[in-house]
Amino acid sequence: MRIITTHLGADFDAFGAAAGALLLWPRSRVVFPGSQEAAVRRFVAAEGVKLPEIRLRDLRRAKIEAAVVVDCAAWRRLGEVAGLIQAAGCPVEIVDHHPSPADPIAGATVLTAEVASTCTVITGELRRRGIEPDALTAALLLMGIYEDTGGLTYVDTTGADLEAAAWLLAHGARLEWVRRYVLRPLEPGQLVLLNQLVEGAVEHKVAGVRVVVTVARPDEQVEEAAYVVHRYAEIFDLAVVIAILEAVPQLVVIARSTHPLLDAGRLLTPLGGGGHATAAAARVRGTSAVELAERLLAAIRRDLGAGWTAGALASPSLHSCPAEATVAEAKERLLRLRINAMPVERDGALIGVVTRQTLDNALSHGLGERPVTMVMRPGVHEVRPDASMEEVERAFMEGQARFVVVAQPEGHGIITRMDLFRRLYDRQIAAGEDVDRRVAGARRVARNVAHRVRASLAADLLRVLETAGLVATELGMRAYLVGGAVRDALLGRPLEDVDIVVEGNGLEVAHRLAERCGGRCHPHEPFLTAAVRLPGDIALDVATARTEFYRSPAALPEVESSVLRQDLYRRDFTINAMAIDLTAARFGELLDFFGGQRDLEGRILRVLHSLSFLDDPTRAIRAARFATRLEFEIGAETRQLIRVAVQEGVFSRLSGERLRDELILLLEDEHPVEGLAELERLGVLASVFPTVRWSASLRRLLLDLESMLAWSELEEVYDEPHWPVFLAALATRAGDGGGKAMARRLAISGRVAVLFGEARSRTEQVLAAVADPAGRPSDVVAALERAPRALAIVAMAHAGDETRRLLRLALTSWVRLKPPVSGADLVAAGIAPGPAVGEAVRRTRGAVLDGVVDEANALDFALALARGGGGAA
């Protein structure tokens, strides 16, 4: 299958280009990696326009044979679709009018032209090939041209754009759609935003160029804000405009430039945005408007000939730790040098970082004689000597770095956080009144996500959270919503677990909250937590802010009270280590100490510290579950740390109960096979189930099992938990005795343990009964009724098409056939009660299933059997 795709947040140029590409590459399917821009969505809904699309979920299971990327030339702007194309290894063709991003798609064939719109490129190719577009496609292409050229008025508009528009009009393109959806007068909300842009503007002179940075805080979402910024720059004749819109929990950056030395698209590329030389946009999280404005100004100064470099700031004194040193020796070196962190060096190359905190934790685990490479965080943040201050700042902010290494010809230099802070202070003083004005305008909290919280919660739960904040305040404490609830609120997902952390006494807040709301409180004092159950089926957990200490790897933690930052630091991943203030005066303020917003935006799963998986190996299984459920990528450093935990054998020290409980959560998710595949890639599956060999055939078996379970629920064949079925399927591939070993490892007993132990033999019996050429329906039913229903589903996954068809028939029809006669019928006919009665009923049912006798004659047949007088069943 050939796919046509485009960038995240497709605009009219991308949408029209995709429609036009369908004429160049017929029988293709269009996939949008994310939602389209609001104007496009409104147009599609109003006019009922549909393209032959394939959903992203379906694309994951499809075979991609070729890919066409329109209005985009960078992998990072394609979202998950980029990974699917790369995994397919298929040829890629790019159609774009600005095909030279910072991170181009290597090896792709490029179709481009020096024009202002990708739709112009598509139109030119249609004309060259002699392909006549239909009126709808012509209209969509025209809308794209008019959008990217500002109605053929932008400075980069070319004659080719004008000729393309005229040709499309001749083929039935509708100018009324352009007027209605692309070139519209400013609406009331947009006029309010325009006024805010004017009021928030700060003008700078950079290399003699007027650069305006303006910050606006719309009270509500403003549709097509980029169009408003364009009109603002046009009205005031501004060469460079950077507009930052505080749309919590993110910042929307819109750049406009008519200066030849400042490419707006390249300016916003480091922020994950995109565009072209005169117009670009990006969405940024994890920073404030003030910080972002400073970063962009630094980049502008660099591009326009001003700024400082990393080489000028770096100190030449770089202390490192040899890779062959032990943990204890590394700690001694840190103490001797009176520093808190240092890189690890091997053969002249810097390969990782260790901190005093990491080494202290490792020593507490008794790992003092292990190599320091086992506990280091892999990788070192490194910049070039000519790197701008913007790049240095980003390395610190995004990487949680203690220092940044500068690779200089004469050897490595180092920039510490204090070096950077001093330079930023100098720059702030030099900036004078402009900085003061920007800081004054940033008093309001830029990371307030109260509206996200309110949108994600039912009204009664929202009132409970507000009450919790009030109760904590009355007791002189502070309460926060934490963990997965914060993550889901920022992602716009329904909240699953609601956890509250209290800086103070969480148990006291829990008791008071339960009393005030008419509920019950169940404290767990050793863990400083309490479960609160309130009317309306509201359940939440309240805990004292705490820190954890693991006496040995894989052990349960010991806890003690702490502050919020330490409580968040003990959690598994950065995306789960954020908090929202519930205090009335600051309700909705987001606290993100570890870059969780950044990782949500980048869809990255990142661990907080290098001993995380040694402390709690179940986090590796959780990583696979979250990565699959949220469609996130596990970060490279986190993958390496999981591999270290596997090599250290920590999973063998993990209790069966904890391992089982975490696997159940993974196997009950929507797509557990992807989770198991991730565990295999991480090396965890082989560590947990060493006799199970992952292969393409096992993956296919499990995918078939997913389908069979969905079918079985629809047909009401099986409605119990899924996890025993998946583990039973693995048991069939675990070798002799593998099922029993699996049950022992997971501390499973009783009926489920028997299920695992008999999984292989019972599945083979069912398949043999169905495959037997001389077999009868009654034989199949007997085999199915001897086996647990879960193993019948496993057998279907193992079966070929014909065997699977017979099993479907057996499970939905044959096994549901009730005996045509009952024991009472036979006793009423004079048969004495006894074993013969039950045997006659069973054999009669089998005879009806096999077509030996019909239901009308079933009673006579059963009587004959009971009297010992015949009946060939």
Side-chain angles (χ1 to χ4, degrees):
M1 176 179 64
R2 183 191 302 273
I3 64 168
I4 297 171
T5 190
T6 186
H7 54 80
L8 296 161
D11 54 11
F12 279 114
D13 195 34
F15 192 86
L22 289 167
L23 299 181
L24 297 173
W25 290 277
R27 296 181 297 280
S28 299
R29 303 287 294 279
V30 177
V31 57
F32 293 102
S35 177
Q36 296 96 22
E37 280 192 349
V40 178
R41 294 199 307 272
R42 183 166 57 244
F43 161 73
V44 169
E47 303 297 341
V49 174
K50 293 184 179 180
L51 301 181
E53 290 187 44
I54 179 171
R55 296 178 61 188
L56 189 54
R57 177 169 294 175
D58 297 328
L59 184 63
R60 296 187 193 110
R61 300 169 182 267
K63 182 179 180 181
I64 304 174
E65 297 172 335
V68 178
V69 181
V70 299
D71 201 38
C72 178
W75 286 123
R76 60 183 170 74
R77 299 188 67 203
L78 297 180
E80 183 185 351
V81 174
L84 297 177
I85 295 173
Q86 290 171 312
C90 64
V92 179
E93 296 178 84
I94 293 172
V95 185
D96 197 12
H97 69 108
H98 39 80
S100 301
D103 53 339
I105 299 175
T109 302
V110 179
L111 174 61
T112 188
E114 292 185 2
V115 293
S117 166
T118 300
C119 285
T120 300
V121 180
I122 291 283
T123 302
E125 187 65 12
L126 290 173
R127 297 177 71 181
R128 189 184 70 81
R129 297 191 193 182
I131 298 174
E132 304 289 330
D134 55 278
L136 173 61
T137 304
L140 297 177
L141 288 166
L142 185 66
M143 294 172 78
I145 292 173
Y146 264 75
E147 180 187 65
D148 261 26
T149 63
L152 303 173
T153 65
Y154 287 177
V155 293
D156 56 348
T157 302
T158 67
D161 296 301
L162 185 60
E163 290 176 5
W167 188 77
L168 293 169
L169 282 170
H171 284 80
R174 302 175 60 179
L175 275 173
E176 63 264 36
W177 278 3
V178 173
R179 176 182 54 79
R180 188 182 309 162
Y181 298 105
V182 181
L183 302 178
R184 304 169 315 285
L186 294 180
E187 298 174 356
Q190 294 174 323
L191 289 171
V192 171
L193 175 58
L194 179 61
N195 186 55
Q196 290 184 351
L197 294 176
V198 174
E199 292 181 347
V202 177
E203 184 173 327
H204 307 264
K205 282 286 186 180
V206 180
V209 179
R210 289 176 68 202
V211 176
V212 169
V213 178
T214 178
V215 178
R217 305 181 182 87
D219 293 329
E220 57 185 10
Q221 181 176 352
V222 179
E223 301 289 3
E224 291 89 60
Y227 182 59
V228 180
V229 175
H230 163 68
R231 292 294 303 276
Y232 169 67
E234 191 176 62
I235 292 169
F236 293 94
D237 192 25
L238 300 172
V240 179
V241 173
I242 306 297
I244 302 174
L245 308 185
E246 293 181 340
V248 290
Q250 64 186 355
L251 301 175
V252 179
V253 189
I254 301 169
R256 291 292 183 268
S257 171
T258 58
H259 195 283
L261 295 180
L262 186 64
D263 184 314
R266 290 187 179 276
L267 177 68
L268 298 191
T269 293
L271 302 179
H276 47 85
T278 60
R283 296 176 183 272
V284 183
R285 300 189 183 204
T287 187
S288 69
V290 174
E291 294 167 333
L292 183 56
E294 289 295 321
R295 290 170 59 188
L296 290 171
L297 280 170
I300 292 170
R301 291 186 181 108
R302 175 200 63 211
D303 290 346
L304 298 181
W308 293 307
T309 65
L313 181 61
S315 166
S317 302
L318 175 65
H319 300 287
S320 63
C321 173
E324 57 269 22
T326 65
V327 169
E329 290 168 345
K331 175 63 183 301
E332 181 182 359
R333 181 166 172 76
L334 279 178
L335 292 175
R336 187 169 63 253
L337 295 171
R338 297 185 179 181
I339 56 178
N340 292 316
M342 67 168 58
V344 178
E345 182 179 8
R346 174 184 288 150
D347 299 329
L350 303 179
I351 61 173
V353 176
V354 288
T355 66
R356 184 180 298 191
Q357 184 180 33
T358 298
L359 295 173
D360 284 340
N361 287 342
L363 289 169
S364 72
H365 283 310
L367 303 177
E369 297 306 308
R370 297 296 179 88
V372 72
T373 52
M374 192 193 86
V375 301
M376 72 179 183
R377 179 182 287 273
V380 175
H381 295 280
E382 189 170 304
V383 297
R384 306 180 316 277
D386 61 348
S388 66
M389 290 302 300
E390 156 74 10
E391 292 173 87
V392 175
E393 289 175 44
R394 190 166 61 248
F396 277 100
M397 293 172 65
E398 295 183 356
Q400 303 174 33
R402 299 292 187 93
F403 55 81
V404 171
V405 172
V406 181
Q408 305 192 77
E410 62 274 19
H412 291 108
I414 186 171
I415 303 174
T416 66
R417 289 186 294 190
M418 186 55 67
D419 295 329
L420 180 62
F421 292 158
R422 289 194 186 105
R423 183 56 62 93
L424 290 176
Y425 178 79
D426 292 341
R427 187 168 67 182
Q428 182 174 356
I429 297 300
E433 291 183 359
D434 284 348
V435 172
D436 294 340
R437 180 173 171 183
R438 288 193 299 273
V439 172
R443 297 296 183 190
R444 178 180 169 188
V445 177
R447 298 178 186 175
N448 192 290
V449 294
H451 72 291
R452 289 288 189 95
V453 176
R454 293 189 170 98
S456 302
L457 297 180
D460 52 355
L461 179 55
L462 179 60
R463 284 192 294 270
V464 169
L465 293 181
E466 291 171 339
T467 303
L470 181 60
V471 167
T473 301
E474 292 171 353
L475 294 172
M477 307 173 193
R478 300 191 73 164
Y480 303 87
L481 182 69
V482 298
V486 177
R487 176 200 69 219
D488 291 339
L490 295 178
L491 289 174
R493 295 168 53 91
L495 270 62
E496 297 180 359
D497 300 319
V498 179
D499 297 318
I500 294 174
V501 161
V502 176
E503 282 188 319
N505 189 328
L507 297 179
E508 187 176 356
V509 170
H511 280 293
R512 191 76 62 91
L513 179 63
E515 290 176 0
R516 187 163 301 184
C517 296
R520 301 185 309 277
C521 175
H522 306 282
H524 307 286
E525 294 188 6
F527 290 96
L528 305 177
T529 65
V532 177
R533 301 296 177 262
L534 303 176
D537 292 327
I538 295 177
L540 51 107
D541 292 330
V542 181
T544 300
R546 54 207 164 130
T547 187
E548 292 179 344
F549 174 75
Y550 292 82
R551 289 197 175 274
S552 62
L556 285 171
E558 298 177 17
V559 300
E560 61 181 51
S561 61
S562 182
V563 295
L564 178 68
R565 191 182 190 282
Q566 287 179 289
D567 184 278
L568 295 175
Y569 185 70
R570 71 181 179 81
R571 296 175 185 271
D572 46 16
F573 306 105
T574 59
I575 62 170
N576 295 331
M578 294 179 285
I580 292 175
D581 200 329
L582 299 180
T583 308
R586 306 177 73 174
F587 188 88
E589 181 180 337
L590 180 67
L591 287 86
D592 177 15
F593 300 107
F594 311 110
Q597 291 181 93
R598 177 203 65 225
D599 290 340
L600 280 181
E601 183 76 15
R603 306 189 75 78
I604 299 262
L605 207 61
R606 197 186 311 276
V607 77
L608 273 80
H609 60 87
S610 60
L611 294 178
S612 183
F613 300 111
L614 296 176
D615 287 342
D616 184 359
T618 64
R619 288 172 176 164
I621 302 172
R622 218 171 301 153
R625 173 161 59 92
F626 284 137
T628 303
R629 179 197 295 174
L630 301 175
E631 299 180 350
F632 277 33
E633 178 67 29
I634 299 176
E637 294 177 358
T638 300
R639 287 182 177 276
Q640 175 60 23
L641 294 172
I642 292 175
R643 294 188 186 103
V644 168
V646 170
Q647 293 166 5
E648 286 299 310
V650 294
F651 288 93
S652 63
R653 291 170 249 172
L654 188 62
S655 72
E657 292 83 0
R658 293 182 66 203
L659 178 60
R660 177 196 65 218
D661 292 346
E662 202 64 51
L663 282 172
I664 288 174
L665 292 174
L666 183 145
L667 295 173
E668 290 296 333
D669 257 4
E670 186 175 0
H671 295 294
V673 179
E674 295 303 319
L676 290 172
E678 189 64 77
L679 287 181
E680 166 61 22
R681 289 190 288 271
L682 295 169
V684 174
L685 191 65
S687 181
V688 173
F689 302 130
T691 61
V692 175
R693 294 291 178 264
W694 188 265
S695 63
S697 65
L698 176 56
R699 181 188 177 90
R700 173 50 54 190
L701 169 68
L702 295 174
L703 286 172
D704 286 345
L705 187 59
E706 272 191 12
S707 300
M708 295 305 100
L709 280 166
W711 169 85
S712 69
E713 289 184 343
L714 184 65
E715 296 291 341
E716 299 182 350
V717 170
Y718 180 83
D719 60 358
E720 296 183 40
H722 290 186
W723 67 269
V725 186
F726 282 104
L727 289 177
L730 291 177
T732 65
R733 295 291 189 91
D736 294 337
K740 292 181 179 179
M742 184 181 293
R744 287 193 300 271
R745 179 65 188 94
L746 299 179
I748 292 174
S749 58
R751 180 174 58 87
V752 178
V754 174
L755 175 76
F756 293 174
E758 297 181 349
R760 186 173 174 182
S761 61
R762 290 288 190 188
T763 300
E764 290 173 350
Q765 290 169 14
V766 170
L767 293 172
V770 179
D772 186 356
R776 300 168 298 178
S778 59
D779 298 325
V780 176
V781 169
L784 286 172
E785 292 181 340
R786 285 193 298 270
R789 185 55 53 88
L791 294 183
I793 308 302
V794 174
M796 290 185 70
H798 275 282
D801 290 344
E802 178 59 21
T803 301
R804 189 174 292 170
R805 185 189 67 80
L806 289 173
L807 282 170
R808 287 179 188 267
L809 178 62
L811 289 167
T812 56
S813 177
W814 297 348
V815 298
R816 293 176 177 175
L817 177 68
K818 295 181 179 179
V821 297
S822 67
D825 294 334
L826 298 184
V827 171
I831 303 298
V837 171
E839 181 66 14
V841 170
R842 183 189 65 79
R843 293 177 62 189
T844 300
R845 180 193 180 213
V848 172
L849 279 171
D850 297 336
V852 174
V853 65
D854 57 28
E855 291 196 30
N857 297 308
L859 180 58
D860 292 338
F861 186 86
L863 289 171
L865 288 173
R867 291 169 180 153

